[in-house]
Amino acid sequence: MNTKLFLDSGAYSAYQNKTIVDIYEYMDFIKKHEKEITTYANLDSIGSAEETWKNQRIMEQHGFNPIPVYHLDEDNKYLDMCLKYDYFAVGGLASAKGKSLKPFLKKVFVKVCPESNNYYPICKVHGFGIATPEIITFFPWYSIDTTSWVQYGRYGIILVPRVEFGNITYKKPPMSVAISSKSKAIGDIKHFRHCREKDEVMEYCRIKNFPIGKTLTKKVNPGYELKENESWIDRKTKDKVQVIIERGLCCDGEMRDALNLQYFLDLEKHIPKYPWQYKHIPRVD
């Protein structure tokens, strides 16, 4: 098996966990596993573009060729430095909220896909922490990665593509449908049981061969012991139990993960083949 990997330095996770990645240990790891690794990112310093580029130079001086990393809200001069490389990464996206992400990425891709190159990318761009389908399809990424897609299933949600003129489309953002019978949204119109698109959701699950499943909820007394087909609605109160009648998306997290992964695999098939033009208006709103 000839596995080739894109290696992330782990700087963001280290930052979140308040630990430190030693650059020399990072380089030793790359050297040790160079047969398995095809691409590796620079050891970025979260919050300091200067330190990030210092690490870039250290690695290059030691004979390594990491792809540089440009972060959300860093000065444009660091983006210009990245544009001198064939391949660079955009980081700090996982922490972006609401409307801040798309304008930032427009600023990046306006330079990556200039009019002088007929709006085609002049270099390859990797996106760290990209899971939003609209962002995936809007910009001409060369590669992306994310672990946050598993959060959908963990919170009892499945992604369902929209239907347009009777056909499934991946050009629009998917529906995020709460389907878990333990979901706090169970009485809301966002839940599968009450959503207006219930028939579309059922048809999509049928096409993909994923059963919805069936459960019931029962109240129990203190000290109750779970049976094989039961689980707690709330592990803290332990006053209600979910009884699985038919296993399916409503009660099986692994099944939800599998369906959501299938969505992203299908989405990938509908993305234009790289490289593709990114035409834009000069003004970034």
Side-chain angles (χ1 to χ4, degrees):
M1 183 177 179
N2 188 21
T3 302
K4 292 295 183 179
L5 303 174
F6 181 111
L7 181 65
D8 180 359
S9 69
Y12 181 75
S13 297
Y15 175 77
Q16 293 288 90
N17 296 321
K18 298 181 179 179
T19 58
I20 296 174
V21 178
D22 182 272
I23 190 168
Y24 295 98
E25 291 181 359
Y26 180 49
M27 289 189 289
D28 286 343
F29 182 88
I30 294 170
K31 189 67 177 177
K32 182 178 179 180
H33 299 279
E34 60 183 350
K35 290 183 180 180
E36 293 83 32
I37 298 170
T38 185
T39 307
Y40 47 90
N42 176 33
L43 175 58
D44 48 334
S45 178
I46 309 301
S48 175
E50 290 185 4
E51 286 297 316
T52 294
W53 278 93
K54 180 180 177 181
N55 288 341
Q56 180 78 21
R57 300 310 181 206
I58 289 173
M59 294 186 72
E60 290 174 345
Q61 288 166 7
H62 281 78
F64 291 85
N65 296 293
I67 67 170
V69 184
Y70 178 65
H71 295 90
L72 182 70
D73 293 333
E74 285 181 349
D75 192 280
N76 281 346
K77 69 178 182 180
Y78 297 109
L79 173 58
D80 292 337
M81 290 166 68
C82 286
L83 290 168
K84 296 177 182 179
Y85 289 76
D86 293 332
Y87 194 6
F88 74 93
V90 180
L93 307 182
S95 59
K97 303 295 181 182
K99 298 180 180 179
S100 63
L101 183 55
K102 202 167 184 179
F104 163 70
L105 290 174
K106 283 183 178 181
K107 179 184 75 170
V108 172
F109 281 95
V110 159
K111 290 198 170 187
V112 170
C113 304
E115 183 179 4
S116 60
N117 199 47
N118 197 23
Y119 301 107
Y120 280 98
I122 59 174
C123 50
K124 298 179 288 187
V125 183
H126 178 85
F128 283 126
I130 298 293
T132 307
E134 183 183 10
I135 297 299
I136 291 173
T137 57
F138 193 83
F139 300 103
W141 304 99
Y142 179 77
S143 57
I144 59 172
D145 76 85
T146 181
T147 57
S148 61
W149 68 271
V150 297
Q151 298 296 330
Y152 290 111
R154 187 173 299 173
Y155 288 102
I157 293 171
I158 58 172
L159 298 176
V160 180
R162 300 282 178 176
V163 174
E164 191 172 51
F165 305 115
N167 296 310
I168 288 176
T169 179
Y170 291 88
K171 294 181 180 180
K172 294 184 176 181
M175 293 181 280
S176 297
V177 182
I179 200 167
S180 171
S181 52
K182 293 183 181 180
S183 174
K184 293 181 180 179
I186 202 162
D188 195 276
I189 59 170
K190 294 180 180 179
H191 196 276
F192 165 74
R193 295 183 182 180
H194 309 288
C195 71
R196 290 188 293 270
E197 299 86 356
K198 186 174 181 178
D199 290 342
E200 293 178 15
V201 175
M202 290 181 66
E203 177 62 11
Y204 175 70
C205 294
R206 185 194 66 78
I207 291 172
K208 295 300 180 183
N209 200 29
F210 282 83
I212 301 296
K214 184 184 297 184
T215 65
L216 61 82
T217 300
K218 69 177 182 181
K219 291 185 177 182
V220 296
N221 296 321
Y224 181 83
E225 293 187 7
L226 293 175
K227 295 182 176 60
E228 187 176 348
N229 64 332
E230 296 177 344
S231 61
W232 298 111
I233 297 293
D234 188 326
R235 291 180 180 273
K236 292 182 179 180
T237 59
K238 292 187 176 182
D239 59 348
K240 293 180 182 178
V241 167
Q242 173 183 263
V243 182
I244 299 174
I245 307 302
E246 295 176 10
R247 186 164 294 279
L249 295 165
C250 71
C251 56
D252 192 319
E254 290 185 4
M255 199 176 288
R256 290 192 293 269
D257 284 346
L259 181 59
N260 289 335
L261 178 58
Q262 185 62 60
Y263 170 82
F264 282 104
L265 291 173
D266 291 339
L267 174 65
E268 182 183 17
K269 296 175 184 177
H270 289 80
I271 295 175
K273 185 178 179 180
Y274 184 87
W276 51 273
Q277 288 177 310
Y278 171 66
K279 291 191 175 182
H280 50 77
I281 55 174
R283 177 176 172 271
V284 176
D285 37 276

